[in-house]
Amino acid sequence: MVAIPSIVVVGLIWLPALSSVVLSFTRWNGIGNLSAHDFVGLTNYRNIATNYPPFWPAMTHNLIWLLVMFFVATPAGMFLAVLLDKEIRGTRVYQMALYMPVVLSLALIGFIWQLIFSQQNGLLNAVTGSTIDWFGDQRYNLWAALVATSWRQVGYIMLLYLAGLKAVDHSLREAAAIDGCTESKAFFRVIFPVMRPINVIILVVTFIESLRAFDLVWIINRGRNGLELIATLVTQNVVGEASRIGFGSALATVMLLISSGFIVIYLRVVMKGDR
Amino acid sequence: MSRRTMLKGTMGAAALAALAACGSGSTSTSTGGATAGSKASGVVTFGSNQSDAVPKAAYAAFVKAYEAQSGGVTIQTNTVDHNTFQENINNYLQGSPDDVFTWFAGYRMRFFAEQGLAGDISDVWKNVTGMSDGFKAASTGTDGKQYFIPFDTYPWAVFYRPSVFKAKGYTVPKTMDDFYTLSAQIKKDGMVPLAFADKDGWPAMGTFDQLNLRLNGYDFHISLMAGKESWTDQKVKNVFDAWRKLLEVSQPDSLGRTWQEAAQSLQKNEAATYVLGMFVGQQFSAGADREDLDFFTFPEMDSTIGTDAIEAPIDGFMMSKKPKNEAGAKDFLTYLSTAAAQEVYVKSDPTVIAANSKADTSGYTALQKKAVEFIGNAKHISQFMDRDTRPDFASTVMIPAIQTFIGNPKDVDGLVNSIESQKKSIFAS
């Protein structure tokens, strides 16, 4: 019974991950077979840390990305879910409007934000009268991309959380109200703790989405010039003619290690709670 | 297939073949030579990256023209999206590639030849006529064999609107000093002297190439691209210093602008000049608009070096390592080297010119005619940074480095040190 899931997990997740770790110690260019002299030890990692200017900006950007998602986008999504849970008039319309960004194709999202952030024809500059080059200027483009990403993340988190809220037993709220809880108190003291499984899922979703952030910046400028992220660096090195498979794998391994860190923390929290 | 469509197809092919035949006098050498004894036949697969409607139709046209006179060889064209084709080239060539495929001359071709992923077509070259020695050299691998058939080319230069220059009384600058004098005047007239864009990462490479060719000459440029010179050399620093000065008259905020947008600012007369390939003309509408587009060579910066080196990338075709139909593939490649085949194509795209010198230029636009003369008079022709050096170096080191420079043009020393140490690690492998 366990055999099939095990084969799937080992074959589709562990083997590729491990081969990527092995490749990270080589200078393979993706052509022909690996041979012994392709192995270069830790050279790729040394080069990443000391001899690859985009790497440290990418790390910083990923961290900023995570912080903004964690402290701004996710709480905003949760807040909207709580509001929409109140059976206000037209709640469906609001839900649809907020969830819309999640179902739009990325090409379309890129285009929509181009309309807003474009320096010459963009809505933002037309309204505010500024001449800022939102996507081109290193000082602003990360924040512009974060606004666009949050726009999508908020709708996503909202839907997840709304589903959780709907599942909360109504009698709990009534009991809280009878005991004289204010609405915010009822939420933080009663509803929020009850929703623990959903909260954990949202936490994980937020971490994962921030670490693998890629598509939006790739559409904006292929993850260059102020929009470097680890995932875009991996792609730039591995995909295409560059073919620095070894170097790109080392970057991917770095990403794997960071996500493993989060996964370990997450598992410890979950297991501790279940005991 | 109904009888009628069949008939239509044959008629179309025949008409095209006839057209191609009257196009030039070189058709007599067009086919058959490569395979000497055995007559080619069967199906040849043809991998094309020309996914846009206009070039795709032009490819279909010369394929038809070829089939009409091939005596049995038929072509099965597999068209792949342009960017996808380029990004997957490694997997493509190692998988089951088409017999003949589109590619670029220079280092990019040599790289695959060295890896044993391209077929030797030296015997095809024995029957090729009308190609200059420069084109043959650009088609030759490091082992001295030929792996490439040049098909079309286009120059990089400084593009401008003759009507604007005439109206304002500007003259074409010969030297960089002239250019700066002119720039001051252009600024006074309320235009941007030099359009500039580098959002895509590669267009600014062309500016580096021009500056390096003018300041340090062709040999140094090619040797630098091959990884043989040090980027910390004072000569390279001079290029970046000159570029910093050029940035003062260039369109600002270039890192957020695509080359298409920069080309449109030239088209709308917001900018007076633009350093780009002749494909800049794609942003101009056909007719009077595009006829009002001309170019001059990048101005001289050192009189001892002059301006006889230019940049003109060559596009063309290669044969895969183990083609399923080698005789047919070589026969098709022989045809592709002829003026007749190239004439069919360049008619559809007036921003390129045929590689074969025998191609009939009477149907060319004024811009194409000028390009023929420009390339013909050049002593040295470079390809382009990402075609003259290793692809991994160009894309993972030079794109970020040039963008860093544009964002902060002051720290040249830090920049060249970083490029040099990354170059060492990449060229070592």
Side-chain angles (χ1 to χ4, degrees), chain A residues 27-33 40 43 47 50-54 114 118-121 131-133 135-138 141 218-226 228 233 236-245 247, chain B residues 83 86-91 94 103-104 108 111-112 115 117 199-202 251-257 261 268 270 386 391-393 395-397 399-400 403-404 407 417-418 421-423 425-426 428-429:
Chain A
R27 56 175 184 208
W28 194 45
N29 62 3
I31 295 175
N33 295 321
V40 291
T43 311
N47 276 332
T50 60
N51 198 10
Y52 190 48
Q114 189 70 44
S118 162
Q119 186 188 16
Q120 274 151 25
N121 322 314
T131 54
I132 292 171
D133 182 8
F135 278 158
D137 191 324
Q138 294 205 11
N141 58 9
W218 191 256
I219 284 178
I220 295 173
N221 68 0
R222 306 250 144 173
R224 298 182 185 121
N225 177 39
E228 294 88 353
L233 297 187
Q236 281 166 14
N237 280 283
V238 172
V239 178
E241 274 181 79
S243 283
R244 293 172 86 184
I245 308 276
F247 192 77
Chain B
N83 283 332
Q86 244 149 289
E87 291 188 346
N88 288 331
I89 186 74
N90 279 337
N91 293 335
Q94 291 185 87
W103 201 239
F104 314 100
R108 259 168 145 176
F111 177 76
F112 290 116
Q115 305 287 336
L117 292 173
K199 185 179 176 181
D200 320 274
W202 56 265
Q251 214 170 3
D253 297 329
S254 57
L255 294 174
R257 191 178 298 113
E261 289 168 314
K268 290 186 231 159
E270 291 163 6
D386 67 7
D392 46 4
F393 178 67
S395 66
T396 67
V397 178
I399 288 180
Q403 289 195 329
T404 306
N417 286 336
S418 161
S421 82
Q422 292 181 78
K423 181 207 89 182
S425 79
I426 286 188
S429 64

Side-chain angles (χ1 to χ4, degrees), chain B residues 1 17 49 63 108 118 153 164 177 186 194 224 258 260 271 346:
Chain B
M1 191 195 269
N49 63 358
V63 162
R108 259 168 145 176
T153 182
V164 172
D177 292 337
I186 294 170
L194 185 63
L224 179 71
T258 61
Q260 287 93 339
V346 296

Side-chain angles (χ1 to χ4, degrees), chain A residues 30-50:
Chain A
I31 295 175
N33 295 321
L34 264 180
S35 60
H37 82 274
D38 280 333
F39 282 87
V40 291
L42 290 171
T43 311
N44 286 331
Y45 291 95
R46 214 170 18 244
N47 276 332
I48 285 174
T50 60

Side-chain angles (χ1 to χ4, degrees), chain A residues 6-210:
Chain A
S6 309
I7 290 170
V8 170
V9 168
V10 171
L12 294 181
I13 298 170
W14 284 107
L15 279 183
L18 281 178
S19 47
S20 157
V21 173
V22 171
L23 284 174
S24 74
F25 298 110
T26 70
R27 56 175 184 208
W28 194 45
N29 62 3
I31 295 175
N33 295 321
L34 264 180
S35 60
H37 82 274
D38 280 333
F39 282 87
V40 291
L42 290 171
T43 311
N44 286 331
Y45 291 95
R46 214 170 18 244
N47 276 332
I48 285 174
T50 60
N51 198 10
Y52 190 48
F55 177 69
W56 291 110
M59 288 292 267
T60 320
H61 298 156
N62 262 101
L63 186 68
I64 295 175
W65 202 279
L66 179 64
L67 293 176
V68 169
M69 289 301 114
F70 190 74
F71 288 107
V72 180
T74 301
M78 291 162 80
F79 179 67
L80 287 172
V82 172
L83 284 187
L84 290 176
D85 189 38
K86 291 188 167 304
E87 307 293 332
I88 45 174
R89 190 193 300 231
T91 176
R92 292 280 153 112
V93 177
Y94 293 122
Q95 281 179 34
M96 206 180 69
L98 289 167
Y99 192 65
M100 186 70 90
V102 186
V103 297
L104 291 181
S105 79
L106 274 161
L108 197 57
I109 288 182
F111 177 68
I112 288 172
W113 287 97
Q114 189 70 44
L115 289 179
I116 294 172
F117 282 129
S118 162
Q119 186 188 16
Q120 274 151 25
N121 322 314
L123 181 72
L124 191 61
N125 281 356
V127 171
T128 60
S130 81
T131 54
I132 292 171
D133 182 8
W134 292 101
F135 278 158
D137 191 324
Q138 294 205 11
R139 281 171 298 175
Y140 306 105
N141 58 9
L142 184 65
W143 304 105
L146 278 168
V147 168
T149 291
S150 301
W151 180 63
R152 212 153 66 115
Q153 179 82 355
V154 164
Y156 188 26
I157 297 293
M158 178 209 73
L159 198 79
L160 280 180
Y161 211 68
L162 199 56
L165 283 171
K166 294 279 183 222
V168 172
D169 192 345
H170 212 69
S171 56
L172 278 176
R173 293 170 200 256
E174 283 170 8
I178 290 166
D179 283 347
C181 274
T182 61
E183 239 176 277
S184 64
K185 215 172 179 184
F187 177 77
F188 285 111
R189 292 284 172 83
V190 181
I191 312 288
F192 190 76
V194 167
M195 301 238 321
R196 190 166 174 280
I198 297 286
N199 293 338
V200 172
I201 288 175
I202 284 184
L203 194 70
V204 174
V205 164
T206 305
F207 276 127
I208 292 176
E209 290 285 310
S210 321

Side-chain angles (χ1 to χ4, degrees), chain B residues 230-292:
Chain B
S230 169
W231 282 77
T232 54
D233 194 317
Q234 186 57 41
K235 285 180 166 177
V236 180
K237 291 183 191 169
N238 291 346
V239 171
F240 283 109
D241 288 338
W243 199 352
R244 183 170 53 238
K245 197 176 165 201
L246 195 63
L247 282 176
E248 286 164 20
V249 296
S250 303
Q251 214 170 3
D253 297 329
S254 57
L255 294 174
R257 191 178 298 113
T258 61
W259 71 261
Q260 287 93 339
E261 289 168 314
Q264 281 156 23
S265 60
L266 177 69
Q267 193 262 342
K268 290 186 231 159
N269 296 341
E270 291 163 6
T273 64
Y274 189 21
V275 175
L276 203 73
M278 201 159 84
F279 55 84
V280 68
Q282 290 167 6
Q283 295 298 313
F284 290 63
S285 40
D289 189 35
R290 201 184 276 151
E291 275 158 30
D292 186 18

